[in-house]
Amino acid sequence: AQKVTQTQTSISVMEKTTVTMDCVYETQDSSYFLFWYKQTASGEIVFLIRQDSYKKENATVGHYSLNFQKPKSSIGLIITATQIEDSAVYFCAMREGNQGGRALIFGTGTTVSVSP
Amino acid sequence: DTTVKQNPRYKLARVGKPVNLICSQTMNHDTMYWYQKKPNQAPKLLLFYYDKILNREADTFEKFQSSRPNNSFCSLYIGSAGLEYSAMYLCASSRDEDSAETLYFGSGTRLTVL
């Protein structure tokens, strides 16, 4: 069975610093996709970045990057040069890829608070 | 336009009464999903439509119904609301059901059952 675990409930950082969030996952599939989504104060959930299991390079989009450690089943999210508007709940998610129609499984989320 | 729209934003329902939530998207996406989100919990997939085919999760099979009369529209129906149904309901869509596809979420409908 697939499972996604985010152990950090909340993180507080100062503006312009770097924040790192942890996520570990469980799957029996050899092919899978890992995602990070952000839920803003308005409740909207927005896609941030994706890592394909077969790719060794860490994905990077803007000031978001991933630390993919496949042997540890770990996919950390790194936000550099944080801004006030980065304050949000961040969800890690996984979807197994061997066949279509698989559910996107979420972690419980990490709340990030960025202070000026 | 990459928005998924949900109506209403807030809904109040009585125990034992039916509830119907509405979602629409104009991206011509093949797949539409319904998730349930409770405080401090992960969003939980309830069901999804791939084209006209409905797939429901095993543990929510009997609690939720859905319809998709056309590509753009999808509803979530609760026949008899219980207190445990109070939650945020999130609709999402993706281009197809491939696992690599990004999901686009609506702003959600917050359901309160009294």
Side-chain angles (χ1 to χ4, degrees):
Chain A
Q2 52 179 332
K3 185 179 179 181
V4 176
T5 303
Q6 295 178 256
T7 56
Q8 297 160 300
T9 305
S10 63
I11 302 174
S12 295
V13 297
M14 300 298 291
E15 194 178 12
K16 301 179 184 177
T17 62
T18 296
V19 62
T20 301
M21 283 164 267
D22 301 328
C23 175
V24 292
Y25 56 91
E26 297 176 24
T27 179
Q28 301 299 318
D29 277 16
S30 58
S31 173
Y32 49 91
F33 301 88
L34 302 163
F35 303 81
W36 281 89
Y37 285 81
K38 169 185 177 181
Q39 184 174 33
T40 62
S42 67
E44 186 180 12
I45 296 180
V46 179
F47 164 73
L48 295 178
I49 191 169
R50 185 187 93 204
Q51 179 78 39
D52 302 346
S53 63
Y54 57 87
K55 291 187 177 178
K56 294 183 179 179
E57 304 80 23
N58 289 321
T60 298
V61 176
H63 74 148
Y64 302 107
S65 62
L66 299 178
N67 179 18
F68 181 39
Q69 299 183 59
K70 195 169 183 179
K72 296 183 179 180
S73 296
S74 171
I75 184 72
L77 174 67
I78 303 165
I79 307 175
T80 57
T82 54
Q83 303 165 6
I84 301 297
E85 50 267 34
D86 291 322
S87 296
V89 181
Y90 291 82
F91 290 100
C92 177
M94 176 180 68
R95 201 169 183 187
E96 293 171 335
N98 282 345
Q99 52 185 288
R102 307 304 293 273
L104 181 66
I105 303 299
F106 285 87
T108 52
T110 297
T111 300
V112 171
S113 300
V114 181
S115 303
Chain B
D1 183 7
T2 57
T3 57
V4 176
K5 296 182 179 178
Q6 292 187 242
N7 287 299
R9 189 67 191 270
Y10 300 93
K11 188 166 183 69
L12 198 60
R14 296 292 182 186
V15 170
K17 297 298 185 182
V19 176
N20 196 45
L21 307 180
I22 295 170
C23 177
S24 65
Q25 52 88 13
T26 54
M27 296 174 278
N28 200 31
H29 282 175
D30 282 339
T31 310
M32 295 184 74
Y33 311 79
W34 281 101
Y35 279 82
Q36 181 191 65
K37 172 78 173 70
K38 294 185 176 183
N40 302 315
Q41 295 184 19
K44 175 181 168 53
L45 180 66
L46 300 176
L47 53 87
F48 70 93
Y49 264 99
Y50 174 59
D51 195 13
K52 294 182 174 60
I53 301 171
L54 175 61
N55 298 270
R56 288 185 284 180
E57 293 297 288
D59 58 345
T60 56
F61 191 85
E62 296 179 345
K63 296 181 179 180
F64 299 93
Q65 297 285 339
S66 183
S67 66
R68 192 178 186 188
N70 56 59
N71 176 269
S72 302
F73 179 93
C74 187
S75 66
L76 180 70
Y77 180 76
I78 301 168
S80 177
L83 296 175
E84 70 277 14
Y85 286 87
S86 291
M88 175 74 85
Y89 288 86
L90 297 162
C91 176
S93 72
S94 65
R95 189 172 55 176
D96 58 39
E97 63 169 358
D98 188 89
S99 290
E101 288 295 325
T102 297
L103 268 62
Y104 295 87
F105 284 85
S107 298
T109 294
R110 186 173 297 281
L111 173 66
T112 302
V113 182
L114 301 174

